[in-house]
Amino acid sequence: MSETAQSSVVIEHEVGLHARPSVKLTQLAKSFRSRIEISTAAEGPWIDAKSIVKVMGSKTPKGALLHVRAEGEDAETAVQAIVALVERDFETA
Amino acid sequence: MYTPSPNFSWGKVGMGARGASRAAGACPMNTNVGIVIVSHSPDVAKGAADMVRQMVGDDVPLAWCGGAPGGGLGTSVEAIMAAIDRAWSEAGVAILVDLGGAETNSEMAIEMLPDERRDRVVICNAPVVEGAVMAGTEASAGSSLEHVRRTAEELRAA
């Protein structure tokens, strides 16, 4: 059963999507089965949220609108979880 | 030729009782690939390990070693073997090294491992600090040794 989900959230973390936030986002993404991608623009380019090298390499700054989309059996839960992580400023739940 | 010394320098980071590390399987953490950091400088090795612990968390077996057996900068085969042992996981161990001798001594340490472990230890061709964090992140998600190595090495292609 495959589903798709998409959402967006503003990065409020002081340093943006840098080293430590990137690690947390990637670890969370990897805990889901769905394919998960992020982008700083609705039209892309989209990058694999499970790739620590690509996520950290995106250097997404504070204030950026982060788009999150997922496809797979737990897509909805995955997108919600990632948005929630960004909303709570990457603090562990 | 490498000469073992009782004074080799090594360290470990937050891994529980070192003598208990043989109990593979008893600890769930041991299902994730382990990370070993080898630097000529114990300060660099420990600092890189601290970064992995703080950024990636406690789900990855982790050990470091650095410094010559008699003190000063250098690496030692014996210390590397001990670090591999501390970070041992049934899923294997990925080693990050800094310069020349760290790599050749790591290769020698791998060769000296028991047969059943030798094929489950790889050296990542990646910068030691960045590679350790990338490899640790990948390992924390339960990825295979090959996948962990590729993630660390992906840095170079980026």
Side-chain angles (χ1 to χ4, degrees):
Chain A
M1 178 66 188
S2 183
E3 53 185 57
T4 59
Q6 184 159 349
S7 186
S8 60
V9 60
V10 175
I11 305 256
E12 297 288 1
H13 194 274
E14 202 50 52
V15 294
L17 201 50
H18 285 198
R20 203 177 311 219
S22 295
V23 171
K24 287 186 176 176
L25 190 145
T26 305
Q27 285 177 326
L28 181 62
K30 281 172 173 293
S31 70
F32 295 99
R33 303 177 69 91
S34 296
R35 190 163 59 90
I36 306 171
E37 294 176 311
I38 58 171
S39 171
T40 50
E43 67 276 17
W46 293 87
I47 61 169
D48 181 2
K50 298 184 184 186
S51 165
I52 179 59
V53 176
K54 290 194 175 71
V55 172
M56 206 176 285
S58 75
K59 296 188 171 69
T60 305
K62 179 184 179 181
L65 181 62
L66 187 75
H67 298 265
V68 186
R69 72 179 184 187
E71 183 179 353
E73 60 194 81
D74 52 8
E76 188 67 43
T77 321
V79 168
Q80 282 173 8
I82 287 174
V83 167
L85 176 75
V86 177
E87 282 175 344
R88 65 175 183 265
D89 224 14
F90 298 93
E91 293 303 320
T92 308
Chain B
M1 184 58 200
Y2 162 73
T3 334
S5 154
N7 297 320
F8 65 84
S9 163
W10 57 268
K12 68 197 297 287
V13 179
M15 277 282 301
R18 62 180 71 115
S21 63
R22 286 323 68 66
C27 173
M29 180 165 124
N30 280 358
T31 59
N32 288 341
V33 169
I35 307 291
V36 164
I37 297 163
V38 180
S39 169
H40 280 64
S41 157
D43 291 340
V44 168
K46 180 180 183 305
D50 284 344
M51 282 183 67
V52 174
R53 264 293 169 255
Q54 288 181 36
M55 296 177 68
V56 175
D58 297 327
D59 295 334
V60 178
L62 174 68
W64 58 270
C65 63
L73 298 181
T75 58
S76 122
V77 173
E78 190 177 352
I80 296 168
M81 290 181 74
I84 292 170
D85 203 43
R86 292 196 303 284
W88 183 252
S89 156
E90 291 306 308
V93 168
I95 305 181
L96 280 300
V97 300
D98 59 3
L99 302 165
E103 183 172 9
T104 51
N105 277 344
S106 294
E107 287 168 351
M108 206 178 297
I110 291 171
E111 279 177 32
M112 290 169 72
L113 289 173
D115 289 345
E116 69 275 13
R117 287 192 170 188
R118 196 173 304 135
D119 293 340
R120 280 182 283 169
V121 182
V122 298
I123 301 172
C124 302
N125 187 10
V128 66
V129 177
E130 297 90 326
V133 173
M134 301 296 172
T137 302
E138 196 61 57
S140 71
S143 301
S144 69
L145 180 61
E146 175 57 22
H147 199 149
V148 168
R149 187 182 62 77
R150 264 191 279 126
T151 296
E153 296 183 355
E154 193 185 330
L155 268 177
R156 307 174 75 84

